[in-house]
């Protein structure tokens, strides 16, 4: 009887473990089955490189959105990566225990704030601020980049900090022993040794930025045209989906799912990079 | 011979624990001085207070006075300049995860030398001084982490020499090495003493006998005896020293 | 008595090895680059903390005065955009998604830690897929939920569809934290239990799992934070109806969705502020609880 129970439960555990495999298969299947035929119908070239998105007349080119996603992500990286890495250096090598006990939870909190709250903050603070500073509507690539830069900060800080902490002290001491200052030792001996770990953090941040939806929708302006300047509006792949899914039907709806397929492929590539970097770091 | 380091009434505390008690010691120039004693006796701690590496240890407090060529190293002297003058070789070889060349050039670059031909010259000279040029001259651009342990340690010595120090502190530099590498490092130390003052912590008494000119014996944070190595090992003045070198404890 | 005396003494001693401010400034004068680097890291940390502080204070200052009692009326109307239904929906949504994800996640981690043999191929696959799940953006989850739960399974726009979608989303988080918690249980506990003749199952449920509870709990709390803050994955699975549905097959908006709708309509910015306050305080609480638990884990 007991043996019987043991066996049943071990099978149940196995099934539970397979849930994540099943989930990934289902997600891939449903997205690709719904999306790929649509891409075929529209034409891959036209869909990816088409510069015009006009669902009413069934012209579906997502090139502006692909570009929008790339621009916004690049902007977020420019804002978030330097600050994030420097803050991680501060936390790992510059602060005393008392300060650490304050800043560590602060970074955790930054990670915990929901994206809709970030978006709202961007809408009521950043947009009016940048409108008065740079003119235009304030809903722009610039605003979205700043906001996303803040949002990916905790990811970059946390991953970089643990990468820096994992560097053996002997590098730091060796550098000090040669007469290098604390700052020089941290930046020129410790930081290079944490390179691949920090890069993994950056890649993770890229994934966050490209996948972020609500906060971007609320501050980016969302014009479905090729972005024309830093202070003009952009629409990302994610915004495209969330903005139009509510009322889309037929081919329009399928085109939005196909947009998600493109986004998904981007994310898979980024995940692949991340996994490769993590592996490299472990060796 | 002149005195390089002069240590007066040095006490050192780790929090409440008194790790060094009233050390008075004059370390001579252009000689090899060995610090010996059982583990935990304070010999490494004393070594590290000569280039202020103890500053990194939280709760470490030092009183007394240490001078280098008459200058107070805990006074107005810039700690980074002190460490440039007093190089250090660590117990475990710790080359940076970069190329052999960049390892050697790290120190000179830190101190403001960026001219390529000048750096090339320093790298070659330092590696030659550390007697490892012939082994490494064809792999200067390769990662230093691919070298053997003995090569890594000699690379670290070369790295320390590249900033042109006056003193070399060696903290059990051969404890992680095989006998052949050990003897290479010992030969190197003897060779280097004409140009540098060498202070070496060792747990290996034979090593102290083989290469050091003077030896200081430490026990429980106190310096028990200091003298010419030949004398100290053949006719120790203190009973405790005798017990230690004849292997009665530690 | 003797010990006390020496202790007092060390407190008074002025070490000569303390680097004074003057010495540091002199040293910086010699290497200005070090000073610049020092400034940069401090500036980065200050920016990070100030941004967070400003965001929280700004929302609290503007939101708290708008937290009027009628915002907690049972009924949502176009005149009074009460968040009460959304709060209830959030609670139901959180509870339901945990109901799906927690047992699944814990069982999966039990398999990975206690049952899988070394070099088992399934383990590698589970790890890769769990990592993949963690990287998928919430809008993609939303679309998948819409296609699968809402469409293919015919559950319609409902709390159930939303909760099922959220369950997949938080599954990798719960798996990872539970796995770490189980791994940190010392092997001696298991051996002790086996030594008394207990079977594997009994050992896992009576010995290993109870000692891993704090770790698992901190994962669950993080997961709650995810569900409470999620918007994109719920809009097209649970819908945006501002009422408490009569059962889980009905549509209902959670607090985060409620807030998004309010701020996009642009008519109820003050109420959006108030909602933001509630969301922020929830997140603050969740973080506080999880760090409290984390502290208890490290203590012992």
């Amino acid at each position: 009887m007991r043996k019987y129970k043991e066996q049943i439960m071990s099978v149940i555990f196995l099934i539970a473990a397979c849930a994540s495999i099943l989930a990934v298969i289902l997600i891939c299947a449903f997205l690709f089955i719904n999306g790929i035929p649509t891409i075929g119908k529209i034409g891959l070239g036209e869909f990816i490189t088409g510069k015009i998105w006009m669902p009413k007349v069934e012209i579906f080119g997502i090139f502006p959105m692909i570009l929008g996603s790339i621009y916004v992500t690049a902007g977020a990286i420019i804002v978030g990566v330097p600050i994030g890495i420097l803050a991680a250096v501060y936390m790992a090598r510059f602060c005393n225990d008392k300060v650490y006990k304050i800043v560590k939870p602060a970074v955790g909190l930054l990670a915990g704030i929901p994206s809709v709250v970030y978006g709202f903050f961007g809408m009521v603070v950043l947009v009016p601020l940048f409108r008065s500073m740079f003119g235009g509507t304030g809903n722009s690539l610039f605003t979205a980049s700043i906001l996303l830069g803040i949002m990916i900060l905790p990811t970059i800080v946390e991953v970089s900090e643990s990468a820096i902490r994992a560097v053996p002290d002997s590098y730091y001491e060796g550098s000090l022993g040669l007469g290098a200052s604390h700052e020089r030792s941290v930046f020129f001996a410790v930081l290079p040794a944490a390179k691949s770990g920090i890069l993994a953090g950056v890649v993770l941040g890229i994934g966050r930025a490209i996948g972020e939806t609500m906060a971007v929708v609320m501050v980016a302006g969302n014009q479905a045209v090729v972005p024309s300047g830093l202070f003009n509006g952009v629409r990302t792949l994610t915004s495209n989906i969330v903005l139009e899914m509510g009322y889309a039907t037929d081919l329009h709806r399928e085109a939005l799912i196909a947009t998600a397929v493109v986004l998904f492929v981007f994310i898979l590539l980024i995940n692949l990079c991340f996994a490769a970097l993590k592996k490299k770091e472990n060796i | 011979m002149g005195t390089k380091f002069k240590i007066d009434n040095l006490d050192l505390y780790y929090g409440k624990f008194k790790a060094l008690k009233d050390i008075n010691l004059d370390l001579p120039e252009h000689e090899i001085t060995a610090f010996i004693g059982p583990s935990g006796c304070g010999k490494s701690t004393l070594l590290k207070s000569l280039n202020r590496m103890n500053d990194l240890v939280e709760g470490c407090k030092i009183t007394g006075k240490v001078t280098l060529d008459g200058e107070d190293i805990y006074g107005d002297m810039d700690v980074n300049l002190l460490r440039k003058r007093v190089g250090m070789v660590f117990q475990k070889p710790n080359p940076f995860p970069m190329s052999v060349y960049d390892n050697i050039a790290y120190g000179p670059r830190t101190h403001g030398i960026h001219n390529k031909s000048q750096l090339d010259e320093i790298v070659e000279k330092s590696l030659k001084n550390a007697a490892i040029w012939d082994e490494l001259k064809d792999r200067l651009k390769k990662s230093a982490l691919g070298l053997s342990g003995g090569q890594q340690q000699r690379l670290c010595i070369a790295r320390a020499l590249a900033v042109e120090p006056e003193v070399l502190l060696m903290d059990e530099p051969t404890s992680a090495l095989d006998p052949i590498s050990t003897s290479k490092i010992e030969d190197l130390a003897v060779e280097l003493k004409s140009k540098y003052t060498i202070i070496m912590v060792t747990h290996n008494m034979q090593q102290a006998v083989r290469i050091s000119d003077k030896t200081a014996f430490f026990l429980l944070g106190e310096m028990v005896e200091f003298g010419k190595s030949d004398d100290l090992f053949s006719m120790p003045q203190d009973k405790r020293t005798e017990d230690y070198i004849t292997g009665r404890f530690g | 008595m003797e010990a006390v005396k020496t202790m007092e003494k060390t407190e008074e001693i002025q070490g000569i090895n303390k680097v004074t401010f003057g010495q540091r400034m002199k040293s910086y004068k010699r290497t200005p680059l070090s000073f610049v680097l020092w400034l940069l890291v401090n500036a980065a940390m200050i920016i990070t903390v100030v941004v967070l502080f400003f965001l929280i204070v700004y929302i609290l200052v503007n939101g708290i005065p708008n937290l009027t009692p009628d915002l907690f009326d049972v009924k949502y109307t176009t005149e009074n955009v009460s968040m009460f239904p959304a709060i209830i929906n959030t609670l139901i949504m959180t509870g339901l998604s945990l109901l799906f994800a927690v047992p699944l996640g814990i069982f999966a981690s039990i398999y990975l830690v206690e049952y899988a043999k070394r070099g088992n191929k399934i383990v590698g696959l589970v790890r890769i897929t769990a990592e993949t799940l963690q990287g998928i953006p919430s809008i993609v989850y939303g679309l998948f939920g819409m296609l699968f739960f809402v469409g293919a399974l015919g559950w319609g726009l409902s709390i159930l569809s939303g909760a099922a979608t959220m369950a997949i989303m938080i599954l990798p988080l719960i798996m990872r934290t539970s796995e770490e918690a189980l791994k940190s249980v010392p092997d001696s506990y298991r051996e002790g239990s086996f030594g008394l003749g207990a079977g594997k199952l009994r050992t896992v449920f009576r010995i290993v799992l109870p000692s891993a509870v704090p770790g698992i709990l901190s994962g669950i709390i993080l997961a709650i934070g995810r569900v409470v803050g999620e918007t994109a994955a719920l809009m097209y699975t649970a819908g945006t109806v501002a009422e408490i549905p009569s059962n889980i097959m009905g549509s209902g908006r959670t607090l985060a969705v409620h807030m998004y709708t309010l701020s996009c309509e642009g008519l109820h910015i003050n109420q959006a502020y108030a909602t933001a306050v509630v969301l922020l305080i929830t997140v603050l609480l969740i973080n506080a609880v999880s760090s409290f638990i984390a502290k208890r884990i490290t203590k012992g």
Side-chain angles (χ1 to χ4, degrees), chain C residues 191-242:
Chain C
E191 283 152 15
S193 172
F194 288 139
L196 293 171
K200 186 149 200 171
L201 200 58
R202 206 179 153 76
T203 305
V204 167
F205 276 101
R206 289 288 164 85
I207 306 293
V208 180
L209 218 45
S211 357
V213 161
I216 296 174
L217 213 57
S218 73
I220 293 175
I221 287 163
L222 282 179
I224 295 175
R226 268 302 157 73
V227 179
V228 169
E230 187 50 51
T231 315
L234 290 175
M235 282 177 66
Y236 300 119
T237 53
T240 53
V241 175

Side-chain angles (χ1 to χ4, degrees), chain A residues 113-132:
Chain A
I113 293 174
S115 45
V116 63
V117 174
Y118 275 113
F120 182 71
F121 176 75
M123 209 172 89
V124 294
V125 175
L126 297 183
V127 169
L129 178 71
F130 296 146
R131 187 192 300 141
S132 65

Side-chain angles (χ1 to χ4, degrees), chain A residues 12-82:
Chain A
I12 289 178
F13 292 146
L14 175 64
I15 293 172
C18 292
S20 65
I21 303 176
L22 181 71
V24 170
I25 292 174
L26 277 177
I27 291 172
C28 288
F30 269 83
L31 283 181
F32 289 136
I33 288 171
N34 283 284
I36 289 178
T38 316
I39 297 178
K41 221 185 290 173
I42 299 168
L44 179 66
E46 209 162 302
F47 185 62
I48 302 279
T49 61
K51 291 197 178 73
I52 296 168
W53 173 268
M54 287 175 78
K56 271 187 199 148
V57 288
E58 303 219 325
I59 302 177
F60 300 104
I62 59 163
F63 185 70
M65 278 68 95
I66 293 180
L67 219 52
S69 278
I70 292 175
Y71 283 172
V72 165
T73 305
I77 293 302
I78 292 169
V79 175
V81 167

Side-chain angles (χ1 to χ4, degrees), chain A residues 86 183 187, chain C residues 28 31-43:
Chain A
L86 288 169
E183 288 82 3
F187 275 87
Chain C
Y28 280 142
T31 58
L33 177 67
S34 299
F35 184 62
V36 173
L37 294 174
W38 181 83
L39 273 184
L40 282 176
V41 293
N42 279 280

